[in-house]
Amino acid sequence: MSVLVGTETRLCVSGITGSEGSFHTLNNRAYGTNVVSGVTPGKGGQDVEGIPVFNTFHAAVEESGANTAMVFVPPPFAADSILEAADAGIETIIAITEGIPAHDELRVYTQIKRMPGVRLIGPNCPGVLSPGKANVGIIPASFFKEGNVGVMSRSGTLTYQIGNELAQKGFGNSSIVGLGGDPIPGTSFVDVLEMFENDDQTELIVMSGEIGGDAEEVAAEYIAEHVTKPVVGYIAGFTAPPGKTMGHAGAIVSGSKGTAAAKAEALEAKGVRVGRTPTQVAEIAIEILGG
Amino acid sequence: MDLLEYQGKQLFARHEIPVPSGIPARTVDEAVAAAEKIGYPCVVKAQVKIGGRGKAGGVKVAANAEEAGEYADAILGMDIKGFTVHELWIEEASEIEAEYYAAIVFDRSARSALVMLSTQGGMDIEQVSEETPEAIATLHVDPLLGFQPFEARRLAFEAGIDADLIRPIGEFLTKLYDTFIAEEAMLVEVNPVIITPERKVRALDSKVTLDENALFRHKENAELRDPSDEDPQEQMARDRGLTYVKLDGDIGILGNGAGLVMSTLDVVAQYGGSPANFLDAGGGSKADAITSAVEVICSNEKVKAVLFNIFGGITRCDEVANGLIEAFAQAKPTVPFVVRLDGTNDVVGRKILADANLPGVYTASTMNEAAEKVVALAKGETP
Ligand SMILES: Nc1ncnc2c1ncn2[C@@H]1O[C@H](COP(=O)(O)OP(=O)(O)OP(=O)(O)O)[C@@H](O)[C@H]1O
Ligand SMILES: [Mg+2]
């Protein structure tokens, strides 16, 4: 198996008629992803290289049987498009758009959490690739082959870097999940840890985090209690300068949480080995799986 | 985007939050003229985007024109935690019976807005939060329901507010929340909220941070952006669509994607180097972006060597190679470069670079090798 996207995926792309949207949609289709439709309000009835375009997600779901959405529309319209997809009954929504206002993200996140069965990945993420099965998003699929390492990451290019280091050592991937770098990601490490834990193809989990927020700290707790598979961590941002914050509220709320050192420490305290460079992550993976 | 105190107060006034009246000033003369208009006593306040101004001597009460001039002269040009004071806010002095603390912060961990209230506001609020955190009442707001009157009351009771002030403080918090939502803020903080001898509630200070991503629908706020806030290199980078943060070291860094660039900084530091900047050339880095990036990095005189770390996804390595050749033709950098190209079209990209035979350009096939080489070059050694 794999997680989130695979042979069952029936993809509908919001923003399919834009230049970025159509480029990546066709790339995804060329990889073998089952792209069934697209949505652009006002362009219903047209097609993009044979992919039918609908005015609404509701029509796309009804007429093309879409179960997965990829959102490519510009930031002012992205929240609306995600909510529309969810309302229309799409189960997995992958939002690539970068720069969505934080308050929009907060409303969308809260609403989606209240809809059982709907999952949002991103926004501001590179998408999800299950090698050999489906690619939804902008991950350059040619570097990755099928295998037993599940990768999840908050950053796009860093995912490619780590994935590539693993590939050079002969490892393939069950799925590569880009969670996105925004303050309120729809899906966090903990959610994907649960998916990888339950996925038979995945034998090792690599998580690549970065400074800010507390997703890595929360994941460390979860791993200790619920994950039986080995996990290797990486944290970027040890030398990043601390951001200057103006008021006192930040210090009152979060204290010293969120630094790379604090995150690595939290993971190591729960027995997760943390590579200090992407290369070291791959080396630890070999030690564990016996490359 | 952070606002100055008086900009925040102007925002508050738009949402009917009571604030003292005042006038901004950029020179001693302007400050004295403002003080004369406002009357005495008045307060001369440093306008910098950082807290703790009072403790640093940047907030002074003037009893007459002479004092106003004296304080304005002392505070203008003052350094407060690394921020130079270029502007003052001259404000009517308030009579203060009590100083409270109120704030609303976008709490990303809890995925909701956090409202905070304390009767122990004023310049020692961080100490209060460390020593007696229970003195700060807190409450998370349901993002879809909004801040309810009962929640405002509950916070006020929990904070131990006097009975006669429960309603006015509740109204104050509600208006603060309305401001937070309407202006799409990441933070609104008022320290102190004062209670006057007439038992009126007023915002005596403001700390407001707005969401940059939402400025497109807040034209008035977008105009408050102050280009002189930014380092000239950071400004130049922004104008060209690059994300650049200046650091203290001597190794210029360019990569594509924030995570990879952060990771590159870490690896360079592990090899004993010190990065001069963070520069993310973005997802689909095209040739002209690379040219701009080289210009931005090399305009920092401290830079002794540059590391290009590209992992091509959407970015194509041949584009990067051509951009670099173009950059060398235009900017004629005098420091050595180490280039690591991997990913989409890497073989072609490396060949283009090899054929161009640029002066002082070294190649590397891994991130670690690249870091090792650039650190040696920055020390004046040959790798
Ligand atoms: N208009 C005013 N009238 C009387 N006193 C004032 C006035 N403005 C400020 N003060 C006093 O000066 C103190 C410091 O001013 P203010 O809170 O604006 O700056 P600050 O020191 O940067 O704040 P913080 O400590 O929250 O970072 C206030 O707590 C208050 O006691
Ligand atoms: Mg204050």
Side-chain angles (χ1 to χ4, degrees), chain A residues 102-103 114 161 234 239 248, chain B residues 126 142 185 189 211 263 266 340:
Chain A
H103 283 256
R114 288 175 193 178
Q161 172 71 39
Y234 178 74
T239 44
H248 305 288
Chain B
E126 290 204 28
D142 182 313
E189 183 182 75
D211 178 12
S263 172
D266 291 350
R340 180 257 179 161

Side-chain angles (χ1 to χ4, degrees), chain B residues 37-52:
Chain B
K37 219 178 217 167
I38 288 162
Y40 302 96
C42 68
V43 188
V44 181
K45 303 184 79 172
Q47 297 300 290
V48 280
K49 296 176 176 179
I50 192 81

Side-chain angles (χ1 to χ4, degrees), chain A residues 248, chain B residues 5 20 43 45 50-55 59 61 91-94 96 99 122-123 125 189 191-192 204-205 207:
Chain A
H248 305 288
Chain B
E5 174 197 0
V43 188
K45 303 184 79 172
I50 192 81
R53 297 166 300 155
K55 283 193 173 162
V59 178
V61 182
E91 175 175 89
E92 58 170 306
S94 295
I96 302 175
E99 299 200 351
M123 295 192 283
I125 187 66
E189 183 182 75
N191 183 37
L204 218 61
D205 186 8
K207 305 266 187 324

Side-chain angles (χ1 to χ4, degrees), chain A residues 217-228:
Chain A
E217 286 88 337
V218 176
E221 293 290 330
Y222 184 86
I223 290 167
E225 282 183 30
H226 303 283
V227 181
T228 60

Side-chain angles (χ1 to χ4, degrees), chain B residues 168-235:
Chain B
I169 284 287
E171 277 168 15
F172 184 90
L173 289 177
T174 300
K175 283 176 186 161
L176 206 58
Y177 185 81
D178 291 345
T179 308
F180 179 79
I181 295 297
E183 306 293 342
E184 302 195 64
M186 304 308 284
L187 168 75
V188 293
E189 183 182 75
V190 186
N191 183 37
V193 178
I194 57 154
I195 310 302
T196 68
E198 300 81 43
R199 309 292 281 173
K200 290 268 183 280
V201 179
R202 244 181 180 193
L204 218 61
D205 186 8
S206 90
K207 305 266 187 324
V208 176
T209 306
L210 300 172
D211 178 12
E212 308 251 353
N213 285 343
L215 286 179
F216 70 88
R217 53 190 174 203
H218 300 278
K219 294 282 176 313
E220 243 176 299
N221 295 342
E223 279 164 20
L224 298 175
R225 183 188 299 284
D226 180 2
S228 69
D229 264 7
E230 274 174 320
D231 173 271
Q233 269 124 22
E234 290 182 11
Q235 215 177 307

